[in-house]
Amino acid sequence: MKPGIHPAYGPVVFRDRAANYAFLTRSTMSSDKTIEWDDGNTYPVVDVEVSHVSHPFYTGTARVLDTAGRVERFERRYGRRGAN
């Protein structure tokens, strides 16, 4: 790799504010905010809105949409409009 053209790759803490969960990983992202981690070291912290802890797909709370039932319900409610 050419020196000086790649971003710094190092440890970063990602914090999910909705679920009050944080995890330490390596990334090229950076932040001015820092956090003291469990190992006593200070790392940059990046706040995220969704992680695997709060996303409905991973938590098992995702809902399957019944599109056919929605169409039928709409047609019952407002009547079927078509070529008469």
Side-chain angles (χ1 to χ4, degrees):
M1 294 192 321
K2 287 186 176 180
I5 63 169
H6 298 284
Y9 183 72
V12 177
V13 174
F14 286 93
R15 180 172 51 190
D16 184 353
R17 300 293 250 169
N20 197 21
Y21 178 77
F23 57 95
L24 177 65
T25 187
R26 295 176 53 92
S27 177
T28 58
M29 292 194 67
S30 62
S31 175
D32 295 333
K33 295 186 280 183
T34 60
I35 189 171
E36 187 173 332
W37 195 244
D38 298 336
D39 61 3
N41 294 327
T42 303
Y43 299 106
V45 63
V46 177
D47 290 328
V48 294
E49 294 188 23
V50 176
S51 71
H52 70 282
V53 176
S54 63
H55 193 279
F57 178 78
Y58 294 107
T59 60
T61 59
R63 295 183 297 164
V64 177
L65 297 178
D66 179 22
T67 55
R70 288 182 172 204
V71 171
E72 292 168 1
R73 192 172 33 221
F74 177 84
E75 288 175 350
R76 273 197 317 262
R77 186 177 295 157
Y78 298 106
R80 187 175 188 106
R81 310 258 173 154
N84 289 341

